[in-house]
Amino acid sequence: MFIVASIAIVVTMVLVLVRALLGPTVYDRILAANSFGTKTVLIIAVYGFLTGRPDFLDIALVYALINFISVVAVLKFFEYGDLGVSTRKKTRQSEP
Amino acid sequence: MSAVFDVLSWVLLLAGSFFVFTGAVGLLRLPEFFTRIHSAGVTDTLGAGLMLAGMLLQAGSWTVAAKLILIFLFMMITGPTSTHALAKAALHGKLTPTTAGKEGVKS
Amino acid sequence: MNPPKRVYGTLAVLSVLWLALSGYFQALLISFGILSCVLVTWLGARMDRTDGEHHVGLVRPLATIRYLGWLTLEVIKSNLDVSRRILSPRLPISPTVVWVPASQKSEIGRVIFANSITLTPGTVSIDVQAGEIEVHALSKEGADALLEGEMNRRVRAIEWED
């Protein structure tokens, strides 16, 4: 039964990759990448059960953490790093 | 007893696969960024939740079950947070949502 | 200087987490676990000192569990609704942007409300202001259901008031 689930996830990952390639805006691509990361967590977990090695769940847990942090980091880069897109005034924060 | 668990986790995994797939279909079909966010939410909440629940029934040991529950809790907390950050960044990046009606919109 | 109470809380949570994730009960490995828990707690306390303590508010534990049960049902209902909209050939969506009043007093209450809105598929909070939250909804019905304010009232009810 885990093989069915993993095939479904792989097919879904392909669909999400298509959206990441099509874009059209950078936010669509980040959304697709975020969704892809969620599915990666799921497929690592399912693969662990498929091969009878639930130790893979540790990797899934860490991947979930990394996925969240990387999405926030990429968003921060596109919000503040790219001057062509950002319309916000830069405010300098005081360093302690 | 274990056969009942097997069938139940089968059903949960299949239902989870269905919702994960639905979310991806929506990601491709929906017309605009702000609407696509919603279909990603289907994958992140019910799809992932049902799949993890299906695996939980096959866990077999306490540490495995604890890890699955932790993954679920973590996804439920970070998923909305990153979605909100994404939507807000898109709004700041001059992407305006197209709306069907006009009422309730305040600029 | 006496360590604040929350340091012990952090240490307890970390220890339980370590035991749950590792599942080892040998003396040597447990001593490594205790060592790493103490190290992380110390690092966290150091960060708090530079970051400044920040009161975000508390929630009632029992009411929160009841709220999470209600939220789970809501999430399942709206998931079915959104899936139906995505899969039906006519694609019956009507994107709407509304400002939803948020009457929560504490920061944690507002965070829980905004996160609950986003967790429910079909509605996403896109901006959070003092007394209201800007919400993008996939359908007009979803926006109207949110404007009725049941979720707002329920989140308001789980806040702990001194």
Side-chain angles (χ1 to χ4, degrees), chain C residues 36-51:
Chain C
S36 53
C37 287
V38 169
L39 180 70
V40 171
T41 311
W42 177 66
L43 286 175
R46 267 186 53 172
M47 283 181 179
D48 271 351
R49 222 174 296 151
T50 46
D51 224 18

Side-chain angles (χ1 to χ4, degrees), chain C residues 84-95:
Chain C
R84 189 179 53 77
R85 281 174 202 279
I86 291 171
L87 292 179
S88 79
R90 275 179 35 252
L91 211 63
I93 58 166
S94 49

Side-chain angles (χ1 to χ4, degrees), chain A residues 26-38 63-79, chain B residues 33 44 78-87 89:
Chain A
V26 70
Y27 303 106
D28 286 291
R29 295 180 211 273
I30 300 174
L31 178 66
N34 186 18
S35 205
F36 194 80
T38 311
Y63 200 92
L65 285 159
I66 294 173
N67 186 39
F68 170 62
I69 292 173
S70 63
V71 165
V72 171
V74 168
L75 279 175
K76 264 212 139 134
F77 173 72
F78 279 107
E79 213 176 343
Chain B
F33 168 72
D44 286 356
T78 60
T81 312
S82 53
T83 306
H84 171 73
L86 188 58

Side-chain angles (χ1 to χ4, degrees), chain A residues 4-23:
Chain A
V4 179
S6 52
I7 289 171
I9 298 176
V10 169
V11 171
T12 312
M13 283 168 113
V14 173
L15 293 181
V16 172
L17 264 189
V18 170
R19 172 49 70 200
L21 291 173
L22 285 179

Side-chain angles (χ1 to χ4, degrees), chain A residues 1-2 4-6 8-9 11-16 18-20 22-32 34-35 37-39 41-42 45-47 49 54-55 57-58 60-62 64-68 71-72 75-76 78-79 85-88, chain B residues 6-7 9-10 13-14 17-18 20-21 23-25 27-30 32-33 36-37 40 43-44 47-49 51-52 54-56 58-59 63-65 67-68 70-71 74-75 77-79 81-83 85-95:
Chain A
M1 67 180 93
F2 291 114
V4 179
S6 52
I9 298 176
V11 171
T12 312
M13 283 168 113
V14 173
L15 293 181
V16 172
V18 170
R19 172 49 70 200
L22 285 179
T25 65
V26 70
Y27 303 106
D28 286 291
R29 295 180 211 273
I30 300 174
L31 178 66
N34 186 18
S35 205
T38 311
K39 285 167 195 71
V41 174
L42 285 177
V46 171
Y47 186 75
F49 277 92
D55 317 325
L57 284 175
D58 290 314
L61 194 57
V62 172
L65 285 159
I66 294 173
N67 186 39
F68 170 62
V71 165
V72 171
L75 279 175
K76 264 212 139 134
F78 279 107
E79 213 176 343
V85 175
S86 176
T87 53
R88 268 184 148 190
Chain B
D6 278 355
V7 171
S9 88
W10 236 121
L13 276 170
L14 279 184
S17 308
F18 171 74
V20 167
F21 186 73
V25 169
L27 210 59
L28 283 178
R29 272 195 81 191
L30 289 170
E32 187 227 359
F33 168 72
R36 283 177 200 138
I37 282 185
T43 306
D44 286 356
M51 280 198 140
L52 290 172
M55 285 185 253
L56 190 62
Q58 304 271 331
T63 52
V64 173
K67 276 169 208 164
L68 283 169
L70 268 176
I71 292 176
F74 196 78
M75 272 188 174
I77 294 170
T78 60
T81 312
S82 53
T83 306
L86 188 58
K88 203 173 174 185
L91 208 64
H92 278 273
K94 290 285 166 199
L95 210 66

